[in-house]
Amino acid sequence: MVNDGARVRSRSSNRDLRKTLSRSRTNTGIHGKLHAETIVIGGGVIGCAIAYELAARGQDVLLIERGRIAEGASCAAAGMIAADSEHFSSPMMLNLAAMSRRLLHEQSEQLSSLSGMHIGFQQNGFITPIRLKNDLRSDSAVPTPRPRDSEIWWDSITAQQEASWLTKDIYGAYYRPLECDVLPVNLTQAYARSAQALGARIVEGVHHVNLRVDANRVQGVETSIGTMTCQHVIVANGIQGEALMKQAGLQLPILPVKGEIAAVQFPDHSGQLAPDKTIYAEDIYIVPKANGEVWIGATVLPGESDLHVTAAGLQKLLERAVSWVPGIAEAQFVRAWAGVRPSTPDGLPYLGACESISGLYTAFGHHRNGILLSAVTGSLLADFIEGKSSEELNVQGCRPERFNKRGILH
Ligand SMILES: Cc1cc2nc3c(=O)[nH]c(=O)nc-3n(C[C@H](O)[C@H](O)[C@H](O)COP(=O)(O)OP(=O)(O)OC[C@H]3O[C@@H](n4cnc5c(N)ncnc54)[C@H](O)[C@@H]3O)c2cc1C
């Protein structure tokens, strides 16, 4: 539904809006200003990265979040920056992932100094171990390791020397030294705080948002705390992106894919047993984090969107983890949690300008790679706002309106 019926709000509701904005925990300097050049909807890692990049380019940006910053999928992620390890289906995605990892590396110091937060960035490298009986990307009976440019092959002896905590039941392992990881909630909050330090305004607790579209041009948003006008709206609210776009009559299907994840901690004296690199196996990942925990994930449950952790899910994670890193059996269980990945029918995010509604942009649907792709998404969306086209930016495959009303690619 296109909502342009409430273009002018009463003075009293505008007064309420000013009061709410000036009370807002994360708001700085908004006092009564109801207009922004760009409004970003959604305070996950994607929305916050965009707000940061726009603010860094001197743009006037206001981010609105329904609940609190980093309370959606971004607080459930393992935080892997797996540019070389993920199985991307297109060269475009491979390229975006590599760019994003590089950008994040460059941004990490500035984010920490602007926000005063530690984002937990570490470049420990990832290992993909291969079990004795497994095929090594080969049809022949004698498996042949075929490392790509970004990886090194370790035979079983080297693997034991480099990672003594790994099971001995392996033929060898691929090691990818450039891979890194972050603490995802810290990264999201650091983007938000850095954006504020650079002049962006952020408002949490905005329960309802309606897009205001008139004559195929976005006018602003109608919210539970009042009307806001702007030139550009960027929809970056993850799993809820589809519902928001429907208000503008656009079909951008989102498929929820739940994932469960667990954290354990090794006692101080267990140095030899604890992993110091990420295991990125076919059936599980095990990520030693900068906060001293080891995160084990994740189940993949398409179509599910509740946030419960089941006993069966947890059992599967822990069994698989122990089969790769036996010392995990001795580690202390800390907690488990679940989140919902915002996936799309073709596995690509919706990135860019909507062709049928001027001023409306999308940045959602990052599936299992939103943390990895956050930095490049921020940069791309800022480029779109500055007038570049998806052809120029080489992300035509991610254009928002690529599905027709029946969900078929056109
Ligand atoms: C178990 C698990 C493990 C993962 N591991 C990794 C990993 O290792 N590496 C990686 O790169 N990715 C990982 N991901 C994926 C990653 O978490 C997501 O791709 C990413 O967090 C998506 O970010 P987002 O900002 O689009 O969405 P979200 O983080 O969900 O943020 C959307 C925000 O929008 C807000 N919102 C919703 N509706 C509205 C509205 N109407 N108005 C205002 N605000 C609204 C929500 O409250 C939320 O805060 C993992 C995901 C899961 C579930």
Side-chain angles (χ1 to χ4, degrees), residues 142-402:
V142 181
T144 313
R146 292 182 184 159
R148 294 173 298 204
D149 286 350
S150 56
E151 56 192 19
I152 298 162
W153 171 252
W154 287 345
D155 60 21
S156 59
I157 294 167
T158 314
Q160 279 308 309
Q161 285 163 351
E162 300 288 337
S164 58
W165 38 266
L166 195 56
T167 175
K168 295 188 176 30
D169 180 27
I170 59 165
Y171 179 82
Y174 293 97
Y175 174 51
R176 304 187 193 95
L178 297 180
E179 299 286 59
C180 27
D181 74 281
V182 293
L183 293 168
V185 172
N186 294 32
L187 174 67
T188 307
Q189 290 174 346
Y191 270 134
R193 289 191 192 178
S194 302
Q196 284 182 302
L198 294 167
R201 291 165 287 160
I202 295 183
V203 191
E204 295 175 291
V206 183
H207 303 297
H208 299 291
V209 175
N210 278 327
L211 297 175
R212 293 178 55 227
V213 178
D214 193 13
N216 294 332
R217 153 118 229 134
V218 82
Q219 307 291 330
V221 290
E222 195 70 40
T223 78
S224 45
I225 59 167
T227 302
M228 303 172 184
T229 58
C230 61
Q231 266 75 52
H232 316 286
V233 169
I234 302 176
V235 175
N237 60 339
I239 197 93
Q240 281 89 23
E242 176 176 359
L244 206 53
M245 296 306 287
K246 273 193 186 146
Q247 294 178 4
L250 301 179
Q251 302 288 333
L252 276 71
I254 279 286
L255 316 165
V257 181
K258 176 179 162 182
E260 296 153 310
I261 182 164
V264 299
Q265 198 155 29
F266 283 81
D268 287 345
H269 57 268
S270 53
Q272 293 294 316
L273 299 176
D276 58 2
K277 293 178 175 50
T278 290
I279 292 293
Y280 189 94
E282 280 297 317
D283 57 350
I284 192 110
Y285 50 76
I286 302 166
V287 195
K289 304 299 294 184
N291 65 358
E293 295 175 350
V294 175
W295 292 0
I296 299 165
T299 54
V300 179
L301 303 161
E304 293 188 29
S305 51
D306 67 85
L307 296 180
H308 304 132
V309 178
T310 63
L314 192 55
Q315 182 186 22
K316 201 186 286 179
L317 292 175
L318 295 177
E319 271 175 11
R320 288 176 183 174
V322 170
S323 81
W324 290 113
V325 180
I328 285 179
E330 310 301 320
Q332 182 193 334
F333 177 77
V334 180
R335 65 185 186 283
W337 64 94
V340 184
R341 306 170 185 92
S343 305
T344 62
D346 58 1
L348 302 177
Y350 299 114
L351 298 179
C354 295
E355 283 159 29
S356 54
I357 299 177
S358 144
L360 184 60
Y361 301 79
T362 61
F364 62 91
H366 291 71
H367 185 43
R368 50 183 279 153
N369 289 302
I371 308 295
L372 163 62
L373 296 171
S374 58
V376 78
T377 301
S379 166
L380 280 171
L381 266 291
D383 285 346
F384 278 115
I385 295 292
E386 290 180 342
K388 293 196 184 141
S389 69
S390 60
E391 282 119 293
E392 266 178 281
L393 298 170
N394 221 0
V395 289
Q396 263 288 85
C398 297
R399 66 193 186 283
E401 292 167 81
R402 58 185 184 270

Side-chain angles (χ1 to χ4, degrees), residues 19-139:
K19 267 195 234 150
T20 312
L21 293 178
S22 59
R23 273 199 309 264
S24 165
R25 240 171 305 124
T26 48
N27 168 47
T28 51
I30 199 159
H31 301 289
K33 194 171 173 201
L34 310 178
H35 178 83
E37 199 72 20
T38 301
I39 292 177
V40 178
I41 303 174
V45 73
I46 297 299
C48 293
I50 297 168
Y52 166 72
E53 184 66 29
L54 284 170
R57 296 189 193 190
Q59 302 268 352
D60 173 29
V61 55
L62 168 63
L63 182 148
I64 51 181
E65 160 58 42
R66 188 178 59 176
R68 301 190 64 162
I69 294 297
E71 73 164 30
S74 302
C75 80
M80 290 181 296
I81 308 299
D84 296 328
S85 307
E86 279 291 284
H87 306 289
F88 290 112
S89 54
S90 75
M92 173 190 70
M93 291 304 289
L94 259 175
N95 191 28
L96 289 180
M99 276 169 66
S100 204
R101 185 178 63 190
R102 201 172 51 244
L103 267 176
L104 199 54
H105 209 152
E106 287 164 17
Q107 288 173 350
S108 61
E109 247 173 57
Q110 199 192 3
L111 286 175
S112 295
S113 80
L114 280 172
S115 67
M117 290 188 69
H118 177 45
I119 66 165
F121 184 93
Q122 31 175 37
Q123 187 182 329
N124 289 339
F126 287 16
I127 300 172
T128 296
I130 307 293
R131 290 228 191 260
L132 280 172
K133 293 191 189 86
N134 271 18
D135 185 339
L136 283 167
R137 302 179 201 159
S138 161
D139 295 331

